[in-house]
């Protein structure tokens, strides 16, 4: 936990502000100032380039490449992987004044300021540039992505002649020659690139409205054959027509003008990006559809689109904001987290998932992990049920791949991948891809969690039931019986610092829960929709003998629990492993994966991240408080928190157990993991799933919310460092607002006249409506 902040951003409750350009932090800032709308994302790189180290990352959700990895003689080990590929750079610009090209690493600039407005989703960057000729220019770059018409992005360059009459040249490009930084290779070939000049007739070649110049290109990935159309239209207030030139994989608009002293100029660019992810569309069809998008003249009005964007975010903040009183750092931090979660995913397309770095960098290759269902899904379950369902629909869409993966492992049913972007297993580390089954049981858990909160039986009895059946088949075929019962052998649990173990209690317990929920779902279908059940049984070949076997596996599951100590043994033999004092490990040894030999990590009782505590969090209400306390106090000192997801779960348990100081210490850097670059790797991209964990930490931790029972329950506490806080969750069609102050807790419904929702508060069943209810904050809940 001894991590140190690298704090350089200004404190502001609604903005992320960088004042002064620091070349050494350029990669970190590029990640922090990333923009996305789920469909596409761009890092916060300088439009004009230069300035220092840079990863000019532009990504489209679901657009990827594949490569063959070192083969293995053994069956079941992945030999082809895939990764999200760096795509067209649609923000590329060159800015010249008095014959000098702007480069912040070389040019004379002052007053640098970069600002991301969380209320509007707009990124600004401004500074004063003194050219080699002695003229002074005020320069402002603006960009934003359309959150609703997601194919559109916007760029504006504003100039003001502060002194002198600078001669200005502006060049704006869409460029598909970008290198994929991690592999030092461009994965695109050009199919078509054309200037779309001014056309007074408004004919087919016109990109938007008559009189607007622009250009477009069409590129295709080298191996997967996925295509992207990227076109643009340029407007300016100087009456400059400019020229448009097209080459193989680039199209550029260029305009020149002299800017008299005291006058301003603005050059605006509307971009339409159309990604074809399934390989089915022809190049001609995609080109025509792209041109149609450019012809929609309303999207040339950048000010109008910015206003629509402001209203979009205003509505979201009204229902999703978390307010913290007395802690400016975490107030700014949690709003940044919520903003990034909404940018990364909001249910725009059920073919999308949430990569560990979102659309902000190449680390983790754009892959989604089991974090989606355990850490990210709760955010959407309580803010956007449609998005939550779409996350699960991604798993249904990729069910055929999961079936293939199970077959590769000599098993039946469906085994969901450890790491994936397209549904195929992308992890080529066999000890993870072949031994970890958290993704499969997490999908089952996510289905159960969603069904309980949404009452969406159409999904549960349809796609949900099919996934549950196939996951149960996999678990039955992967597990085995011995004289003590049923369990799993040669596995790796969530801890990841112990492999090829038997009866990992998380794996066994989550399998037991999966069997039980599958059987309960089929039973309900038999009673409520017998015709749907019969159709499912016929299509999948489900028999009574098979379901009876699942029931026997659940009832006979080996769970390593000692009633005297109240401890769950993480896996068979764990209690007998050599002990290591994790606090004695020198800070210079971290991260351990980089500084210890690989096998050394597995030779002690040290834990990377919660394992036993993880299933206790997911099924919290099933465990008495004394059992949670015993396991927390045993396993926490053995946990090294090598994963950024680990502290949040420990903070939640510490809050529940009344260890308020400990809870806040674990929470310490949750909201600012990236803003303050605690892990010194923010430059690789944002920790998107850790950002989700920060929300979980506040709502489930300090808010004491639990969602694994028939009613939503709360047991709020207040950290000593805060004067109060407030959050809102969507529940049963209403927005439940929770306000916690030093002596009082209040619950009410937001704008829901006549509506009433029942919840549990400190174990007491209460009805809440728009008038609200208040009660004292217990002394034991005050930090």
């Amino acid at each position: 936990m001894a991590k140190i902040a690298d704090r350089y951003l200004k404190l502001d409750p609604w903005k992320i502000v960088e004042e002064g350009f620091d070349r050494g932090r350029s990669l970190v800032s590029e990640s922090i100032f990333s923009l996305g709308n789920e469909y596409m994302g761009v890092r916060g790189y300088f439009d004009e380039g230069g300035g220092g180290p840079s990863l000019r990352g532009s990504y489209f959700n679901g657009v990827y490449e594949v490569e063959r990895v070192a083969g293995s003689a053994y069956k079941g080990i992945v030999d082809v992987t895939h990764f999200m590929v760096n795509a067209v750079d649609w923000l590329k610009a060159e800015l010249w004044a008095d014959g000098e090209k702007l480069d912040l690493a070389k040019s004379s600039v002052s007053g640098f300021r970069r600002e991301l407005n969380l209320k509007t989703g707009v990124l600004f960057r401004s500074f004063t540039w003194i050219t080699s000729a002695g003229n002074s220019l005020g320069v402002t770059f603006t960009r934003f992505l359309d959150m609703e018409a997601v194919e559109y992005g916007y760029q504006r360059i504003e100039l003001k002649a502060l002194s002198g009459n600078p001669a200005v040249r502006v060049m704006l490009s869409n460029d598909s020659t970008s290198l994929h930084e991690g592999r030092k290779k461009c994965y695109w070939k050009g199919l078509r690139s054309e200037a779309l000049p001014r056309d007074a007739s408004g004919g087919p070649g016109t990109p938007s409205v008559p009189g607007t110049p622009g250009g477009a290109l069409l590129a295709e990935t080298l191996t997967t054959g996925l295509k992207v159309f990227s076109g643009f239209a340029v407007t300016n207030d100087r009456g400059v027509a400019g020229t448009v030139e097209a080459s193989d994989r680039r199209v550029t608009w260029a305009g020149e003008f002299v800017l008299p002293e005291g006058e301003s100029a603005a050059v605006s660019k509307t971009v339409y990006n159309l990604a074809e992810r399934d390989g089915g569309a022809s190049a001609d069809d995609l080109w025509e559809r792209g041109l149609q998008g450019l012809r929609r003249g309303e999207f040339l009005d950048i000010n109008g689109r910015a206003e629509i964007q402001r209203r979009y975010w205003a509505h979201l903040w009204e229902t999703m904001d978390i307010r913290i009183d007395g802690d400016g750092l975490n107030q700014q931090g949690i709003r940044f987290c919520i903003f990034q979660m909404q940018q990364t995913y909001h249910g725009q397309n059920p073919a999308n998932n949430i990569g560990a770095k979102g659309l902000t960098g190449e680390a983790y290759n754009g892959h989604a992990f089991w974090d989606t269902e355990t850490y990210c899904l709760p955010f959407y379950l309580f803010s956007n049920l449609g998005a939550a369902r779409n996350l699960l629909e991604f798993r249904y869409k990729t069910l055929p791949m999961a079936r293939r993966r199970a077959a590769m492992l000599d098993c039946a049913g469906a085994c969901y991948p450890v790491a994936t972007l397209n549904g195929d297993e992308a992890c080529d580390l066999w000890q993870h891809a072949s031994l970890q089954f958290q993704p499969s049981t997490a999908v089952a858990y996510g289905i159960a969690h969603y069904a309980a909160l949404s009452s969406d039986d159409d999904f549960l009895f349809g796609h949900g039931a099919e996934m549950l059946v196939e996951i149960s088949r996999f678990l039955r075929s992967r597990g085995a019986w011995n004289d003590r019962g049923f369990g799993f052998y040669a596995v790796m649990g969530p801890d990841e610092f112990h492999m090829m173990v038997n009866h990992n209690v998380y794996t066994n317990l989550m399998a037991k829960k999966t069997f039980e929920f599958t059987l309960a779902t089929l039973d309900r279908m038999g009673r409520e929709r017998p015709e749907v059940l019969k159709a499912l049984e016929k299509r999948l070949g489900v028999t009574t003998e098979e379901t009876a076997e699942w029931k026997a596996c659940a009832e006979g599951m080996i769970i390593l629990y000692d009633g005297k100590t109240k401890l769950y043994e993480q896996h068979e033999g764990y209690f007998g492993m050599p002990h290591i004092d994790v606090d004695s490990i020198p800070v210079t040894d971290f991260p351990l994966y980089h500084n210890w030999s690989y096998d050394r990590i597995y030779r002690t009782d040290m834990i990377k991240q919660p394992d036993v505590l993880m299933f206790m969090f997911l099924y919290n209400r099933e465990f008495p408080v004394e059992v949670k306390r015993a396991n927390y106090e045993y396993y926490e000192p053995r946990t090294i928190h090598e994963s950024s997801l680990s502290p949040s779960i420990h903070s939640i348990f510490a809050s529940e157990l009344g260890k308020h100081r400990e809870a806040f210490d674990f929470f310490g850097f949750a909201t600012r993991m990236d803003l303050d670059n605690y892990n010194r790797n923010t430059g690789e991209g944002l920790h998107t799933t850790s950002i989700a964990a920060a929300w979980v930490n506040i709502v489930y931790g300090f808010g004491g919310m639990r969602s694994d029972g028939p009613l939503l329950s709360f047991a709020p506490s207040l950290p000593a460092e805060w004067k109060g806080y407030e959050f809102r969750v969507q529940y049963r069609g209403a927005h439940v607002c929770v306000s916690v102050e030093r002596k009082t807790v209040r619950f009410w419904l937001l704008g829901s006249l006549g509506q009433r929702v029942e919840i549990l508060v400190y174990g007491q069943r209460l009805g809440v409506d728009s008038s609200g209810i208040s009660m004292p904050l217990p002394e034991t809940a005050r930090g």
Side-chain angles (χ1 to χ4, degrees):
M1 299 299 294
K3 298 183 178 182
I4 301 171
D6 177 21
R7 191 163 293 143
Y8 68 99
L9 301 169
K10 300 299 178 182
L11 197 59
D12 187 289
W14 285 105
K15 297 175 181 177
I16 309 300
V17 179
E18 178 186 18
E19 291 185 349
F21 171 59
D22 184 342
R23 175 185 173 92
R25 292 189 172 108
S26 59
L27 284 170
V28 173
S29 291
E30 284 184 358
S31 295
I32 291 171
F33 291 102
S34 294
L35 294 178
N37 62 8
E38 182 184 335
Y39 183 80
M40 59 183 173
V42 287
R43 287 172 56 82
Y45 55 81
F46 293 166
D47 310 52
E48 74 280 10
S54 179
L55 197 175
R56 293 184 71 89
S58 170
Y59 310 105
F60 292 91
N61 216 327
V63 175
Y64 63 93
E65 262 291 7
V66 299
E67 70 178 5
R68 189 164 293 278
V69 295
S72 170
Y74 301 104
K75 182 183 177 184
I77 298 177
V78 170
D79 59 3
V80 175
T81 188
H82 60 273
F83 55 93
M84 179 176 71
V85 66
N86 197 1
V88 59
D89 181 357
W90 53 270
L91 289 165
K92 190 168 187 175
E94 289 186 20
L95 182 59
W96 298 74
D98 300 327
E100 176 188 345
K101 182 180 179 182
L102 177 65
D103 182 340
L104 264 65
K106 302 174 182 177
S107 301
S108 177
V109 299
S110 62
F112 178 95
R113 180 183 174 91
R114 180 158 35 181
E115 174 186 306
L116 174 59
N117 190 323
L118 304 179
K119 283 188 173 182
T120 64
V122 177
L123 176 63
F124 300 94
R125 180 167 54 95
S126 62
F127 49 88
T128 299
W129 177 18
I130 302 174
T131 72
S132 55
N135 294 323
S136 179
L137 271 171
V139 181
T140 301
F141 288 89
T142 303
R143 70 176 68 163
F144 64 95
L145 303 185
D146 202 307
M147 294 296 291
E148 295 178 294
V150 292
E151 298 88 356
Y152 290 91
Y154 307 92
Q155 178 187 39
R156 173 175 285 169
I157 301 175
E158 296 170 277
L159 305 171
K160 183 173 184 180
L162 302 176
S163 66
N165 305 299
V168 175
R169 178 175 174 82
V170 180
M171 301 175 67
L172 304 177
S173 301
N174 287 21
D175 187 340
S176 60
T177 65
S178 300
L179 293 180
H180 192 84
E181 186 64 27
R183 290 166 170 82
K184 304 299 182 184
K185 178 179 177 180
C186 177
Y187 286 88
W188 296 91
K189 62 181 178 182
L191 299 180
R192 190 170 180 179
S193 180
E194 292 183 12
L196 303 174
R198 297 198 310 163
D199 181 356
S201 69
T206 306
S208 52
V209 294
T212 304
L217 63 81
L218 183 64
E220 182 180 59
T221 52
L222 297 179
T223 305
T224 52
L226 304 180
K227 303 178 187 68
V228 170
F229 169 95
S230 185
F232 67 86
V234 176
T235 60
N236 66 83
D237 58 7
R238 305 298 298 182
V240 177
T243 61
V244 182
E245 295 184 0
S247 59
D248 177 37
R249 289 177 290 172
R250 180 186 300 148
V251 60
T252 301
W253 175 89
E256 298 181 357
F257 52 89
V258 174
L259 192 60
E261 184 171 327
E263 292 191 17
S264 300
V267 180
S268 301
K269 179 183 179 185
T270 295
V271 177
Y272 185 76
N273 291 319
L274 188 60
E276 190 274 312
R277 304 171 12 151
D278 299 321
S282 70
D284 289 344
D285 176 64
L286 195 64
W287 182 264
E288 182 55 37
R289 285 194 286 132
L291 292 182
Q292 289 174 7
L294 279 176
R295 292 186 189 116
R296 297 177 63 183
E298 69 268 30
F299 291 98
L300 282 182
D301 179 9
I302 292 185
N303 291 333
R305 297 310 300 179
E307 173 58 23
I308 292 171
Q309 184 94 337
R310 185 197 64 78
R311 293 199 298 265
Y312 173 92
W313 283 105
H315 171 72
L316 285 173
W317 286 118
E318 183 180 0
T319 58
M320 295 168 61
D321 188 25
I322 292 180
R323 178 188 59 81
I324 300 174
D325 187 9
D327 185 348
L329 286 171
N330 279 307
Q331 178 64 89
Q332 182 186 45
I334 192 58
R335 283 180 175 148
F336 177 75
C337 291
I338 294 170
F339 177 84
Q340 290 295 345
M341 287 300 293
Q342 187 68 17
Q343 282 203 130
T344 302
Y345 189 88
H346 51 272
Q348 179 261 332
N349 188 337
N352 296 335
N353 204 310
I354 300 173
K357 295 291 184 183
L359 299 170
T360 69
E362 296 175 7
Y364 292 111
N365 297 306
H367 295 155
F369 297 81
W370 66 292
D371 312 341
T372 294
E373 285 79 20
T374 50
Y375 287 93
C376 298
L377 185 63
F379 174 81
Y380 299 103
L381 286 172
F382 294 101
S383 64
N384 183 346
L385 275 175
R389 173 169 173 163
N390 275 358
L391 277 175
L392 297 170
E393 291 286 7
F394 170 86
R395 297 298 192 180
Y396 182 76
K397 180 177 182 293
T398 59
L399 181 58
M401 296 80 151
R403 287 180 172 124
R404 289 200 300 266
R405 180 59 185 159
M408 288 177 67
L409 297 174
D410 294 335
C411 293
C415 176
Y416 281 95
V418 167
T420 193
L421 191 156
N422 65 359
D424 290 324
E425 180 62 81
C427 179
D428 61 339
L429 299 173
W430 68 270
Q431 61 273 39
H432 294 278
S434 299
L435 305 185
Q436 289 192 275
F437 309 122
Q438 291 88 265
S440 296
T441 55
V443 170
Y445 172 81
I447 294 168
H449 204 179
Y450 169 77
L453 291 168
S454 68
S455 300
D456 185 355
D457 288 344
D458 288 339
F459 171 80
L460 177 60
F461 295 161
H463 293 173
E466 185 172 348
M467 287 187 281
L468 290 170
V469 165
E470 297 292 20
I471 294 169
S472 293
R473 283 174 165 166
F474 167 73
L475 293 171
R476 170 60 193 93
S477 63
R478 181 53 173 82
W481 291 88
N482 69 9
D483 56 1
R484 290 187 297 158
F486 186 82
F488 292 85
Y489 299 83
V491 299
M492 176 188 278
D495 163 28
E496 294 187 346
F497 275 8
H498 299 90
M499 68 169 174
M500 295 295 284
V501 300
N502 299 333
H503 304 306
N504 170 261
V505 71
Y506 178 95
T507 302
N508 283 19
L509 188 138
M510 293 298 287
K512 175 181 174 69
K513 291 293 183 183
T514 299
F515 287 136
E516 291 172 345
F517 183 66
T518 302
L519 292 168
T521 299
L522 297 179
D523 181 65
R524 273 194 61 205
M525 291 173 68
R527 289 182 281 108
E528 299 174 20
R529 299 189 189 179
E531 70 289 349
V532 176
L533 175 61
K534 288 181 180 178
L536 178 75
E537 290 175 335
K538 181 178 180 180
R539 182 159 51 88
L540 299 183
V542 180
T543 65
T544 55
E545 292 79 12
E546 186 176 28
T547 57
E549 195 169 6
W550 298 343
K551 183 174 186 292
C553 292
E555 293 174 347
M557 190 68 68
I558 297 170
I559 304 294
L560 304 176
Y561 176 70
D562 186 332
K564 293 181 179 179
T565 63
K566 298 182 172 57
L567 292 178
Y568 286 88
E569 187 174 17
Q570 182 171 296
H571 58 79
E572 192 172 63
Y574 175 83
F575 289 156
M577 295 197 72
H579 178 65
I580 183 173
D581 179 4
V582 297
D583 294 327
S584 70
I585 300 173
V587 68
T588 53
D589 283 12
F590 294 98
L592 298 182
Y593 282 125
H594 294 170
N595 294 290
W596 282 20
S597 66
Y598 190 60
D599 66 292
R600 182 181 175 191
I601 289 172
Y602 297 94
R603 300 199 304 248
T604 71
D605 65 350
M606 177 175 58
I607 298 169
K608 175 184 176 181
Q609 58 193 354
D611 197 299
V612 169
L613 294 182
M614 192 66 204
F615 71 71
M616 285 188 170
F617 166 68
L618 299 177
Y619 291 98
N620 188 276
R621 288 195 236 186
E622 296 190 14
F623 301 97
V625 67
E626 61 270 17
V627 174
K628 285 181 272 192
R629 183 181 301 278
N631 285 273
Y632 176 86
E633 293 179 350
Y634 181 84
Y635 284 108
E636 188 283 320
R638 291 164 170 79
T639 306
I640 200 67
H641 307 291
E642 188 81 338
S643 164
S644 59
L645 294 169
S646 180
S648 61
I649 299 300
H650 288 82
S651 178
I652 291 167
F653 276 102
S655 288
E656 181 179 1
L657 298 172
K659 300 174 182 284
H660 301 299
R661 178 70 260 169
E662 206 166 314
F664 197 78
D665 286 345
F666 276 121
F667 173 71
F669 53 85
T671 71
R672 302 190 65 88
M673 171 70 72
D674 292 308
L675 290 178
D676 296 334
N677 195 18
Y678 272 100
N679 280 3
R680 300 302 189 263
N681 61 0
T682 297
E684 299 174 359
L686 300 180
H687 295 78
T688 304
T689 48
S690 295
I691 282 172
W695 182 91
V696 170
N697 201 152
I698 292 177
V699 174
Y700 281 80
F702 304 131
M705 189 178 81
R706 298 294 181 267
S707 52
D708 59 321
L711 287 179
L712 199 61
S713 70
F714 299 88
S717 62
L718 181 65
E721 293 76 6
W722 294 357
K723 295 178 182 178
Y725 63 97
E726 179 182 310
F727 65 89
R728 299 165 182 187
V729 293
Q730 184 184 109
Y731 179 60
R732 295 188 176 175
H735 286 96
V736 180
C737 303
V738 184
S739 175
V740 183
E741 297 180 349
R742 180 51 54 188
K743 295 184 178 181
T744 308
V745 181
R746 182 167 180 256
F747 295 83
W748 74 98
L749 301 187
L750 178 67
S752 301
L753 294 176
Q755 192 171 7
R756 180 182 173 89
V757 171
E758 288 196 339
I759 59 174
L760 293 173
V761 181
Y762 300 118
Q764 180 183 358
R765 189 172 186 139
L766 300 172
V768 180
D769 55 24
S770 59
S771 62
I773 55 173
S774 297
M775 65 192 65
L777 179 70
E779 289 283 350
T780 56
R782 302 174 190 178

